[in-house]
Amino acid sequence: AKLLSLIKNQTGCDINFPHDGGSQSIQIKENQIKNLAIKYLEFYNKNVYYFPTDLPEDMIWDEDVASQLLKLLKPNININEIIEKSNNSKDYLFNFCIECYGVSAQFESTILLFTQNWLNKEDKNFIYLKDFINKIKL
C-alpha cells in the first residue's frame, strides 16, 4: 500500500497493477503487486524527468529585458503594469506582447525573442536542461 501511495504522490494517478486471479493467497497477489510497483518506480525514476520550473515560461521570462524593451517600444508603460495584471510568467509574456504590439498575433515572436535571450544567457536552468538532454541522448 505504501508503494502505491508513493506512485500516486509522484504521478497523481492510481495505478492498478494486474495480478493472477484464481485461488491464490492474498499474500501471493500482494507480492505480485509489490514487485510490479517496484519495477514501475524504478522505470519512472530512470526515465521520467521534469523541467526545473513549474512553467517553461518561467525559464525564459526576463523582467529586465522586458523593461528595457518597453522603454524602447512603449515608453509610457511600466513593466509593473504588466506584472500586476498577470498571474504567472505565461501571462507576463502574453500581456507583454499585447502591450508592445497591440495584438496577440505577435505572441510567437515574443516567445522566440525571450527564448533567444534565455539561450544567450545560459543560466542555471539552461545548464540543467543541456545536461539533461545530453544525459538522455546516451
Side-chain angles (χ1 to χ4, degrees):
K2 183 168 181 147
L3 290 174
L4 297 178
S5 176
L6 286 171
I7 291 171
K8 182 165 184 163
N9 285 339
Q10 190 64 31
T11 64
C13 301
D14 286 315
I15 307 292
N16 295 316
F17 294 102
H19 54 79
D20 292 339
S23 61
Q24 293 182 358
S25 72
I26 298 283
Q27 184 65 40
I28 291 173
K29 292 177 185 178
E30 286 178 354
N31 281 341
Q32 289 175 347
I33 292 171
K34 177 183 174 185
N35 289 336
L36 289 171
I38 289 170
K39 286 181 182 180
Y40 181 92
L41 286 169
E42 287 170 349
F43 174 87
Y44 193 92
N45 186 46
K46 182 179 176 187
N47 296 294
V48 177
Y49 302 92
Y50 295 98
F51 271 11
T53 59
D54 289 338
L55 298 171
E57 291 83 0
D58 290 344
M59 291 186 289
I60 64 169
W61 171 252
D62 187 322
E63 188 174 326
D64 293 334
V65 168
S67 183
Q68 291 171 8
L69 287 170
L70 276 176
K71 285 179 187 175
L72 293 171
L73 299 171
K74 299 284 183 163
N76 58 330
I77 298 174
N78 187 300
I79 190 66
N80 292 327
E81 295 175 42
I82 292 173
I83 291 172
E84 287 172 6
K85 64 181 171 184
S86 305
N87 294 319
N88 56 42
S89 57
K90 188 178 292 236
D91 288 347
Y92 297 158
L93 289 161
F94 183 78
N95 290 329
F96 174 86
C97 173
I98 296 299
E99 290 294 339
C100 285
Y101 308 110
V103 293
S104 62
Q106 295 297 320
F107 187 60
E108 184 176 343
S109 297
T110 301
I111 295 293
L112 291 173
L113 175 76
F114 278 85
T115 300
Q116 187 61 54
N117 174 67
W118 174 71
L119 291 171
N120 291 337
K121 283 192 315 187
E122 295 192 18
D123 66 1
K124 66 179 181 174
N125 291 324
F126 175 89
I127 293 166
Y128 171 85
L129 287 175
K130 180 180 167 187
D131 291 345
F132 163 72
I133 290 167
N134 287 328
K135 179 179 173 184
I136 62 172
K137 281 185 357 185
L138 300 175

